Every structure is written in C-alpha cells, then in structure tokens.
Amino acid sequence: MKIIAGNWKMNGTRFDLDKMLSDLSSISTNNRIILCVPYTMLCGGNGSVSIGAQDISTHTHGAFTGEVSAQMVADTGAKYVIVGHSECRQYHGDTNDTVRQKAALAISNGLTPIICVGETMAEKQAGKTMSIIESGVRESIPSDVKSDIIVAYEPRWAIGAGLTPTADEIASAHTLIANTLADMGLAGTPVLYGASVKGSNALEIMSIPNVDGVLVGGASLKSDDFIPIITSVK
Ligand code: PGA
C-alpha cells in the first residue's frame, strides 16, 4: 500500500473535483489517495479519496485577512493539510519554524499534516542537500507528535521543472529522512517523494527503499495522468 497524494495548487474548479472523484471511484486500488485542493473546493471527499488543504495559518483565529485556520479546514470534512510546500516557503516566507507551528495546529485540530522538506538548487550546488533535509525534518516537526504525520521530500529545484533526481539521490534522501525520523522516535512515519512524478516514472520511484508514496503536482490535475500513477503500484 502506497500513499498517492495530489497537489492541485491554484488550479481547478468544484466541477473538476467532482469529475476527478467520480473518475477515481471507478478504479480498484489498495493505495491511499489524497487530493489537496484549493480552499474553495474543500469537502469530506468520498470512500476512496480523502481531501486535504495546501496550507493553513500559524494563527488559530482573529484579524488575519485572507488566512484560513486549521480548525476551518477540519470543519469542511477535509482530513489532511500540506505544510511547508516549497512554493509556500518561496512565496509566503514559510520557514521550518512556521511550518512546525502549522503542523502542530493541524494535529491539534485532527488533521494529518503532510510536512514538506527539500533543498533549493543553490543549496544543492553548495553541497548542502543532506544538511538541509535533516534540519528540515528536525525543525519542521513538532516535538511531541503522537498522532499520524506524513513527511514529503520535495527537491525544490525539480518541482514543476520536469527534472527528477537520480534513483540514488532519492534513495539517499529517503534513507536520511527515515533514519532521522527513527532518531526522533517517529519510526514508521510515511515519507513521500514529490517533484515531477508522472505515470512513466511512478513505479520506478515508488520501488526505491523508504519511498512510501508520492506527492504529485501537475500530473494530478487530470484523471488520465493521475490514474496511471495510482495504478502503477499495488
Ligand atoms: P510537480 O509538483 O509534480 O508538478 O513537480 C510537485 C509538488 O509541488 O508537490
């Protein structure tokens, strides 16, 4: 069983989500399917697909125009939320500190956070990939986690770029994350790989040790692209 999570980013309408849910209900899979959609489409999902948001506020409520709290996301029936996505780190100034606050609020409101970590191109070129990943994991996860969380390794330079790291690079990153999680008392936490996952590379990526699933951006928008990823693994 793998976890296949889609991230629709700022794309789609409620009509598109209804169509995707209907298309996905016809496939047979043991994998856990999650769709992280814009706030306007949040809902309870259906028997085969769970719904998540793509970000939440670091605040619980109050005068924060435009922000949406963990409690509000949970109130829609959604079960997951991505925190620390590379685009939120890049465009909204998210840091490991704010990501940890968001993850804690997600957990306390009954949501499962999908906590993203990964290196930029500059960090990769400076030879800092492993240290950025390890500090991302240690600093973005709240200290007293007892409920389910998911971690996603997303090499920031590869997202949306059609680039993927080599299988060896993915294996090293995921081994480091699994070892770090074990050291933090969180052995067994699922770790997803994300960046330029498609039907043609999904099986190879999900066959790498310590890769428990994928977080898919562009290829999760259309069922013709998303279903082959879901059905590539048992
Ligand atoms: P991509 O995006 O699959 O389009 O590279 C991945 C992500 O941002 O989660």
Side-chain angles (χ1 to χ4, degrees), residues 113-197:
I114 302 172
I115 301 169
C116 301
V117 300
E119 77 286 3
T120 62
M121 181 56 93
E123 289 161 348
K124 176 180 168 61
Q125 285 171 340
K128 293 185 181 158
T129 298
M130 291 294 147
S131 64
I132 290 291
I133 293 172
E134 182 170 351
S135 58
V137 172
R138 290 195 184 278
E139 296 169 15
S140 302
I141 297 177
S143 56
D144 50 354
V145 171
K146 295 205 177 48
S147 50
D148 285 349
I149 62 167
I150 296 173
V151 171
Y153 169 56
E154 297 215 309
R156 294 170 60 174
W157 50 272
I159 292 178
L163 300 170
T164 39
T166 64
D168 282 349
E169 286 173 325
I170 297 175
S172 312
H174 278 254
T175 301
L176 171 65
I177 294 171
N179 291 342
T180 305
L181 288 165
D183 185 54
M184 295 168 74
L186 296 170
T189 296
V191 183
L192 313 185
Y193 167 80
S196 303
V197 175

Coordinates of all heavy atoms in Angstrom, one line a residue, residues 113-197:
P113 N -0.9 16.4 9.0 CA -0.1 17.3 8.2 C 0.8 16.5 7.3 O 1.4 15.5 7.6 CB 0.8 18.1 9.2 CG 0.9 17.2 10.4 CD -0.4 16.3 10.4
I114 N 1.0 17.0 6.0 CA 2.0 16.5 5.1 C 3.1 17.5 5.1 O 3.0 18.6 4.5 CB 1.4 16.3 3.7 CG1 0.2 15.3 3.7 CG2 2.4 15.8 2.7 CD1 -0.6 15.2 2.4
I115 N 4.2 17.2 5.8 CA 5.2 18.2 6.1 C 6.3 18.1 5.0 O 7.0 17.1 4.9 CB 5.8 17.9 7.5 CG1 4.7 18.0 8.6 CG2 6.9 18.9 7.8 CD1 5.1 17.5 10.0
C116 N 6.5 19.2 4.3 CA 7.4 19.1 3.1 C 8.8 19.7 3.5 O 8.9 20.7 4.2 CB 6.9 19.9 2.0 SG 5.3 19.4 1.4
V117 N 9.8 19.0 3.1 CA 11.2 19.4 3.2 C 11.9 19.2 1.9 O 11.5 18.4 1.1 CB 12.0 18.7 4.3 CG1 11.3 18.9 5.7 CG2 12.1 17.2 4.0
G118 N 13.0 20.0 1.7 CA 13.8 19.8 0.4 C 14.7 20.9 0.2 O 14.5 22.0 0.7
E119 N 15.7 20.7 -0.7 CA 16.7 21.7 -0.9 C 16.5 22.5 -2.2 O 15.9 22.0 -3.2 CB 18.1 21.0 -1.0 CG 18.4 20.3 -2.3 CD 17.7 18.9 -2.5 OE1 16.8 18.6 -1.6 OE2 18.0 18.3 -3.5
T120 N 16.9 23.7 -2.2 CA 16.9 24.5 -3.5 C 18.1 24.2 -4.4 O 19.0 23.5 -3.9 CB 17.0 26.0 -3.1 OG1 18.2 26.2 -2.5 CG2 15.9 26.5 -2.2
M121 N 18.0 24.7 -5.6 CA 19.2 24.5 -6.5 C 20.5 25.0 -5.9 O 21.5 24.4 -6.0 CB 18.9 25.1 -7.9 CG 20.0 24.9 -8.9 SD 20.4 23.1 -9.1 CE 19.3 22.7 -10.5
A122 N 20.4 26.2 -5.3 CA 21.6 26.8 -4.7 C 22.1 26.0 -3.6 O 23.4 25.8 -3.5 CB 21.3 28.2 -4.2
E123 N 21.2 25.4 -2.8 CA 21.7 24.6 -1.7 C 22.3 23.3 -2.2 O 23.3 22.8 -1.7 CB 20.5 24.3 -0.7 CG 20.1 25.5 0.1 CD 18.7 25.5 0.7 OE1 17.9 24.6 0.3 OE2 18.4 26.3 1.5
K124 N 21.7 22.7 -3.3 CA 22.2 21.5 -3.9 C 23.6 21.8 -4.4 O 24.5 21.0 -4.1 CB 21.3 21.1 -5.0 CG 21.7 19.8 -5.8 CD 20.7 19.5 -6.8 CE 21.1 18.5 -7.9 NZ 21.5 17.2 -7.3
Q125 N 23.8 22.9 -5.1 CA 25.1 23.2 -5.7 C 26.1 23.4 -4.7 O 27.3 23.2 -4.9 CB 24.9 24.3 -6.7 CG 24.2 23.9 -8.0 CD 23.9 25.1 -8.9 OE1 23.8 26.2 -8.5 NE2 23.6 24.8 -10.2
A126 N 25.7 23.9 -3.5 CA 26.6 24.2 -2.4 C 26.9 22.9 -1.6 O 27.6 23.0 -0.6 CB 26.1 25.3 -1.5
G127 N 26.4 21.8 -2.0 CA 26.7 20.5 -1.3 C 25.9 20.4 0.0 O 26.3 19.6 0.9
K128 N 24.8 21.2 0.1 CA 24.1 21.2 1.4 C 22.8 20.3 1.4 O 22.0 20.4 2.4 CB 23.7 22.6 1.8 CG 24.9 23.6 2.0 CD 24.3 24.9 2.4 CE 25.4 25.9 2.7 NZ 24.9 27.3 2.6
T129 N 22.6 19.5 0.4 CA 21.4 18.8 0.3 C 21.1 18.0 1.6 O 20.0 18.1 2.2 CB 21.4 17.8 -0.9 OG1 21.6 18.6 -2.1 CG2 20.2 16.9 -1.0
M130 N 22.0 17.2 2.1 CA 21.7 16.4 3.2 C 21.5 17.2 4.5 O 20.6 16.9 5.3 CB 22.9 15.4 3.4 CG 22.9 14.3 2.3 SD 21.5 13.2 2.3 CE 21.3 12.9 0.6
S131 N 22.3 18.3 4.7 CA 22.1 19.0 5.9 C 20.7 19.8 5.9 O 20.1 19.9 6.9 CB 23.2 20.0 6.2 OG 23.3 20.9 5.2
I132 N 20.3 20.3 4.7 CA 19.0 21.0 4.6 C 17.9 20.0 4.9 O 16.9 20.3 5.6 CB 18.9 21.6 3.2 CG1 19.9 22.8 3.1 CG2 17.5 22.1 3.0 CD1 19.6 24.0 3.9
I133 N 18.0 18.8 4.3 CA 16.9 17.8 4.6 C 16.9 17.4 6.1 O 15.8 17.4 6.6 CB 17.2 16.5 3.7 CG1 17.1 16.8 2.2 CG2 16.2 15.4 4.1 CD1 17.5 15.7 1.3
E134 N 18.0 17.2 6.7 CA 18.0 16.7 8.1 C 17.4 17.9 9.0 O 16.6 17.6 9.8 CB 19.3 16.3 8.5 CG 19.2 15.8 10.0 CD 20.4 15.1 10.5 OE1 21.4 14.7 9.7 OE2 20.5 14.8 11.7
S135 N 17.9 19.1 8.7 CA 17.4 20.2 9.6 C 16.0 20.5 9.3 O 15.2 20.8 10.2 CB 18.3 21.5 9.5 OG 18.3 21.9 8.1
G136 N 15.5 20.3 8.0 CA 14.1 20.5 7.7 C 13.3 19.5 8.5 O 12.2 19.9 9.1
V137 N 13.7 18.2 8.6 CA 12.9 17.2 9.3 C 12.9 17.5 10.8 O 11.9 17.6 11.5 CB 13.5 15.8 9.0 CG1 12.8 14.8 10.0 CG2 13.2 15.4 7.6
R138 N 14.1 17.8 11.3 CA 14.2 18.0 12.8 C 13.4 19.3 13.2 O 12.8 19.3 14.3 CB 15.7 18.1 13.2 CG 16.4 16.8 13.1 CD 17.7 16.8 13.9 NE 18.4 15.5 13.7 CZ 18.2 14.4 14.4 NH1 17.3 14.4 15.3 NH2 18.9 13.3 14.1
E139 N 13.5 20.3 12.4 CA 12.9 21.6 12.9 C 11.5 21.8 12.4 O 10.8 22.7 13.0 CB 13.8 22.8 12.3 CG 15.2 22.8 12.9 CD 16.2 23.7 12.1 OE1 15.7 24.6 11.4 OE2 17.4 23.6 12.3
S140 N 11.0 21.1 11.4 CA 9.6 21.3 10.9 C 8.6 20.4 11.6 O 7.4 20.6 11.4 CB 9.6 21.1 9.4 OG 10.5 21.9 8.8
I141 N 9.1 19.5 12.4 CA 8.1 18.5 13.1 C 8.0 18.9 14.6 O 9.0 19.1 15.2 CB 8.6 17.1 12.9 CG1 8.6 16.7 11.4 CG2 7.7 16.1 13.7 CD1 9.1 15.3 11.1
P142 N 6.8 19.1 15.1 CA 6.6 19.5 16.5 C 7.2 18.4 17.4 O 7.3 17.2 17.0 CB 5.1 19.5 16.7 CG 4.6 19.7 15.3 CD 5.5 19.0 14.4
S143 N 7.7 18.7 18.6 CA 8.5 17.8 19.4 C 7.6 16.7 20.0 O 8.1 15.6 20.2 CB 9.2 18.5 20.5 OG 8.2 19.3 21.2
D144 N 6.3 16.9 20.2 CA 5.6 15.9 21.0 C 4.5 15.2 20.1 O 3.4 15.0 20.6 CB 4.9 16.6 22.2 CG 4.2 17.8 21.7 OD1 4.3 18.2 20.5 OD2 3.5 18.4 22.5
V145 N 4.9 14.9 18.9 CA 3.9 14.3 18.0 C 3.5 12.9 18.5 O 4.4 12.0 18.7 CB 4.5 14.2 16.6 CG1 3.6 13.3 15.7 CG2 4.7 15.5 16.0
K146 N 2.2 12.6 18.6 CA 1.8 11.3 18.9 C 0.8 10.7 17.9 O 0.7 9.5 17.8 CB 1.1 11.3 20.3 CG 2.0 11.7 21.4 CD 1.7 11.2 22.8 CE 2.7 11.6 23.8 NZ 3.1 13.0 23.7
S147 N 0.3 11.6 17.1 CA -0.7 11.1 16.0 C 0.0 11.0 14.7 O 1.2 11.3 14.6 CB -1.9 12.0 16.0 OG -1.4 13.3 15.8
D148 N -0.7 10.6 13.7 CA -0.1 10.4 12.4 C 0.4 11.7 11.7 O -0.3 12.7 11.8 CB -1.2 9.8 11.4 CG -1.4 8.4 11.7 OD1 -0.7 7.8 12.5 OD2 -2.4 7.8 11.2
I149 N 1.5 11.6 11.2 CA 2.0 12.7 10.3 C 2.6 12.0 9.0 O 2.8 10.8 9.0 CB 3.1 13.6 10.9 CG1 4.4 12.7 11.3 CG2 2.6 14.3 12.2 CD1 5.6 13.6 11.6
I150 N 2.7 12.8 8.0 CA 3.4 12.3 6.8 C 4.5 13.4 6.4 O 4.3 14.6 6.6 CB 2.3 12.3 5.6 CG1 1.2 11.2 5.9 CG2 3.0 12.0 4.3 CD1 0.1 11.2 4.9
V151 N 5.6 12.9 6.0 CA 6.7 13.7 5.6 C 6.8 13.6 4.0 O 6.6 12.5 3.5 CB 8.0 13.4 6.3 CG1 9.2 14.1 5.6 CG2 7.9 13.7 7.7
A152 N 7.1 14.7 3.4 CA 7.3 14.6 1.9 C 8.7 15.2 1.6 O 9.0 16.4 2.0 CB 6.2 15.4 1.1
Y153 N 9.5 14.5 0.9 CA 10.7 15.0 0.4 C 10.5 15.6 -1.0 O 10.1 14.9 -1.9 CB 11.8 13.9 0.3 CG 13.0 14.4 -0.5 CD1 13.7 15.6 -0.1 CD2 13.5 13.7 -1.6 CE1 14.8 16.1 -0.8 CE2 14.6 14.2 -2.3 CZ 15.2 15.4 -1.9 OH 16.3 15.8 -2.6
E154 N 10.7 16.9 -1.1 CA 10.5 17.6 -2.4 C 11.7 18.4 -2.8 O 11.9 19.5 -2.2 CB 9.2 18.5 -2.3 CG 8.0 17.7 -2.1 CD 6.8 18.4 -2.8 OE1 6.6 19.6 -2.6 OE2 6.1 17.7 -3.5
P155 N 12.6 17.8 -3.6 CA 13.7 18.6 -4.1 C 13.2 19.9 -4.8 O 12.6 19.7 -5.9 CB 14.5 17.7 -5.0 CG 13.5 16.6 -5.3 CD 12.5 16.5 -4.3
R156 N 13.4 21.0 -4.2 CA 12.7 22.2 -4.7 C 13.1 22.6 -6.1 O 12.3 23.2 -6.9 CB 13.0 23.4 -3.8 CG 12.3 23.1 -2.4 CD 12.7 24.1 -1.3 NE 12.4 25.5 -1.7 CZ 12.5 26.5 -0.8 NH1 13.0 26.3 0.4 NH2 12.2 27.7 -1.2
W157 N 14.3 22.2 -6.5 CA 14.8 22.6 -7.9 C 14.1 21.7 -9.0 O 14.2 22.0 -10.1 CB 16.3 22.4 -7.9 CG 16.8 21.0 -7.4 CD1 17.1 20.7 -6.1 CD2 16.9 19.8 -8.2 NE1 17.4 19.4 -6.0 CE2 17.4 18.8 -7.2 CE3 16.8 19.5 -9.5 CZ2 17.6 17.5 -7.6 CZ3 17.0 18.2 -9.9 CH2 17.4 17.2 -9.0
A158 N 13.5 20.6 -8.5 CA 12.9 19.7 -9.5 C 11.4 19.9 -9.7 O 10.8 19.4 -10.6 CB 13.2 18.3 -9.1
I159 N 10.8 20.7 -8.8 CA 9.3 20.8 -8.8 C 8.9 21.5 -10.0 O 9.3 22.6 -10.3 CB 8.8 21.5 -7.5 CG1 9.1 20.6 -6.3 CG2 7.3 21.8 -7.6 CD1 8.7 21.2 -5.0
G160 N 7.9 21.0 -10.7 CA 7.3 21.6 -11.9 C 8.3 21.9 -13.0 O 8.0 22.5 -14.0
A161 N 9.5 21.4 -12.9 CA 10.6 21.6 -13.9 C 10.8 20.5 -14.8 O 11.6 20.6 -15.7 CB 11.9 22.0 -13.1
G162 N 10.1 19.4 -14.6 CA 10.3 18.2 -15.5 C 11.6 17.5 -15.1 O 12.0 16.6 -15.8
L163 N 12.2 17.9 -14.0 CA 13.5 17.3 -13.6 C 13.2 16.3 -12.5 O 12.4 16.6 -11.6 CB 14.5 18.4 -13.1 CG 14.9 19.5 -14.0 CD1 15.6 20.6 -13.3 CD2 15.7 18.9 -15.1
T164 N 14.0 15.3 -12.4 CA 13.9 14.4 -11.2 C 15.4 14.0 -10.8 O 16.2 13.9 -11.7 CB 13.2 13.1 -11.5 OG1 13.5 12.6 -12.8 CG2 11.7 13.2 -11.3
P165 N 15.6 13.9 -9.5 CA 16.9 13.4 -9.1 C 17.1 12.0 -9.6 O 16.2 11.3 -10.0 CB 16.8 13.5 -7.5 CG 15.5 14.2 -7.2 CD 14.6 14.1 -8.4
T166 N 18.3 11.5 -9.5 CA 18.6 10.1 -9.8 C 18.0 9.2 -8.7 O 17.7 9.7 -7.6 CB 20.1 9.8 -9.9 OG1 20.6 10.0 -8.6 CG2 20.8 10.7 -10.9
A167 N 17.8 7.9 -9.1 CA 17.3 7.0 -8.1 C 18.2 6.9 -6.9 O 17.7 6.8 -5.7 CB 17.1 5.6 -8.7
D168 N 19.5 7.0 -7.1 CA 20.4 7.0 -5.9 C 20.2 8.3 -5.1 O 20.3 8.2 -3.8 CB 21.9 7.0 -6.4 CG 22.3 5.6 -6.9 OD1 21.5 4.6 -6.6 OD2 23.3 5.4 -7.5
E169 N 20.0 9.4 -5.7 CA 19.8 10.6 -4.9 C 18.5 10.5 -4.1 O 18.5 10.9 -2.9 CB 19.7 11.9 -5.8 CG 21.1 12.3 -6.4 CD 21.0 13.4 -7.4 OE1 20.0 13.4 -8.2 OE2 21.9 14.2 -7.5
I170 N 17.5 10.0 -4.7 CA 16.2 9.8 -4.0 C 16.4 8.8 -2.8 O 16.0 9.1 -1.7 CB 15.1 9.4 -4.9 CG1 14.8 10.4 -6.0 CG2 13.8 9.1 -4.1 CD1 13.8 10.0 -7.0
A171 N 17.1 7.7 -3.1 CA 17.3 6.7 -2.1 C 18.1 7.3 -0.9 O 17.8 7.1 0.3 CB 18.1 5.5 -2.7
S172 N 19.2 8.1 -1.2 CA 20.0 8.7 -0.1 C 19.1 9.6 0.8 O 19.2 9.6 2.0 CB 21.1 9.5 -0.6 OG 21.8 8.8 -1.5
A173 N 18.3 10.5 0.1 CA 17.5 11.4 0.8 C 16.5 10.7 1.7 O 16.3 11.0 2.9 CB 16.8 12.4 -0.2
H174 N 15.8 9.7 1.1 CA 14.8 9.0 1.9 C 15.4 8.1 3.1 O 14.7 8.0 4.1 CB 13.9 8.1 1.0 CG 12.9 9.0 0.3 ND1 11.5 8.9 0.6 CD2 13.0 9.9 -0.7 CE1 10.9 9.8 -0.1 NE2 11.7 10.4 -0.9
T175 N 16.6 7.6 2.8 CA 17.2 6.9 3.9 C 17.5 7.8 5.1 O 17.3 7.5 6.3 CB 18.5 6.2 3.4 OG1 18.1 5.3 2.4 CG2 19.2 5.4 4.5
L176 N 18.1 9.0 4.7 CA 18.4 10.0 5.7 C 17.1 10.4 6.5 O 17.1 10.5 7.7 CB 19.0 11.2 5.1 CG 19.2 12.4 6.0 CD1 20.2 12.1 7.1 CD2 19.7 13.7 5.2
I177 N 16.0 10.6 5.8 CA 14.8 11.1 6.4 C 14.3 9.9 7.3 O 13.9 10.2 8.5 CB 13.7 11.5 5.4 CG1 14.2 12.7 4.6 CG2 12.4 11.7 6.1 CD1 13.3 13.1 3.5
A178 N 14.3 8.7 6.9 CA 13.8 7.6 7.7 C 14.6 7.4 8.9 O 14.1 7.2 10.0 CB 13.8 6.3 6.9
N179 N 16.0 7.6 8.8 CA 16.9 7.5 10.0 C 16.6 8.6 10.9 O 16.7 8.4 12.2 CB 18.3 7.4 9.5 CG 18.7 6.1 8.8 OD1 17.9 5.1 8.9 ND2 19.7 6.1 8.1
T180 N 16.4 9.8 10.4 CA 16.2 11.0 11.3 C 14.9 10.8 12.0 O 14.8 11.1 13.2 CB 16.2 12.3 10.4 OG1 17.4 12.3 9.7 CG2 16.1 13.5 11.3
L181 N 13.9 10.4 11.3 CA 12.6 10.2 12.0 C 12.7 9.1 13.1 O 12.1 9.3 14.2 CB 11.5 9.8 10.9 CG 11.1 10.9 10.0 CD1 10.3 10.3 8.8 CD2 10.2 11.9 10.7
A182 N 13.4 8.0 12.8 CA 13.6 7.0 13.8 C 14.3 7.6 15.0 O 13.9 7.3 16.2 CB 14.4 5.8 13.2
D183 N 15.3 8.4 14.8 CA 16.1 9.0 15.9 C 15.2 9.9 16.7 O 15.4 10.1 17.9 CB 17.2 9.8 15.3 CG 18.1 10.4 16.3 OD1 18.6 9.6 17.2 OD2 18.4 11.6 16.3
M184 N 14.1 10.5 16.1 CA 13.2 11.4 16.8 C 12.0 10.6 17.4 O 11.1 11.2 17.9 CB 12.6 12.4 15.8 CG 13.6 13.3 15.2 SD 13.0 14.3 13.8 CE 11.9 15.4 14.6
G185 N 12.1 9.2 17.3 CA 11.0 8.4 17.9 C 9.8 8.3 17.0 O 8.7 8.0 17.4
L186 N 10.0 8.6 15.7 CA 8.9 8.6 14.8 C 9.1 7.5 13.6 O 8.7 7.7 12.5 CB 8.7 10.0 14.1 CG 8.3 11.1 15.1 CD1 8.4 12.5 14.5 CD2 6.9 10.8 15.7
A187 N 9.7 6.4 14.0 CA 9.9 5.4 13.0 C 8.6 4.9 12.4 O 7.6 4.9 13.2 CB 10.6 4.2 13.7
G188 N 8.6 4.6 11.2 CA 7.4 4.2 10.5 C 6.5 5.3 9.9 O 5.5 5.1 9.2
T189 N 6.9 6.6 10.2 CA 6.2 7.7 9.5 C 6.4 7.6 8.0 O 7.5 7.4 7.5 CB 6.8 9.0 10.0 OG1 6.7 9.2 11.4 CG2 6.2 10.2 9.3
P190 N 5.3 7.6 7.3 CA 5.4 7.5 5.8 C 6.1 8.7 5.2 O 5.9 9.9 5.7 CB 3.9 7.5 5.3 CG 3.1 7.4 6.5 CD 3.9 7.8 7.7
V191 N 7.0 8.5 4.3 CA 7.7 9.5 3.6 C 7.4 9.5 2.1 O 7.7 8.5 1.4 CB 9.3 9.4 3.8 CG1 10.0 10.6 3.2 CG2 9.6 9.3 5.3
L192 N 6.9 10.5 1.6 CA 6.5 10.6 0.2 C 7.6 11.3 -0.6 O 8.3 12.2 -0.1 CB 5.2 11.4 0.0 CG 4.0 11.1 0.9 CD1 2.8 11.9 0.4 CD2 3.7 9.6 0.8
Y193 N 7.7 11.0 -1.9 CA 8.6 11.7 -2.8 C 7.8 12.6 -3.7 O 6.7 12.2 -4.2 CB 9.5 10.8 -3.7 CG 10.1 11.6 -4.8 CD1 11.3 12.3 -4.5 CD2 9.5 11.7 -6.0 CE1 11.9 13.1 -5.5 CE2 10.1 12.5 -7.0 CZ 11.2 13.2 -6.7 OH 11.8 14.0 -7.7
G194 N 8.2 13.9 -3.9 CA 7.4 14.7 -4.8 C 8.4 15.6 -5.6 O 9.4 16.1 -5.1
A195 N 8.0 15.7 -6.9 CA 8.7 16.6 -7.9 C 8.7 15.8 -9.2 O 9.4 14.8 -9.3 CB 10.1 17.1 -7.5
S196 N 7.9 16.3 -10.1 CA 7.9 15.8 -11.5 C 7.6 14.3 -11.6 O 8.1 13.6 -12.4 CB 9.2 16.1 -12.2 OG 9.4 17.5 -12.2
V197 N 6.7 13.8 -10.7 CA 6.2 12.4 -10.7 C 5.2 12.3 -11.9 O 4.3 13.2 -12.0 CB 5.6 12.0 -9.4 CG1 5.1 10.6 -9.5 CG2 6.7 12.0 -8.3

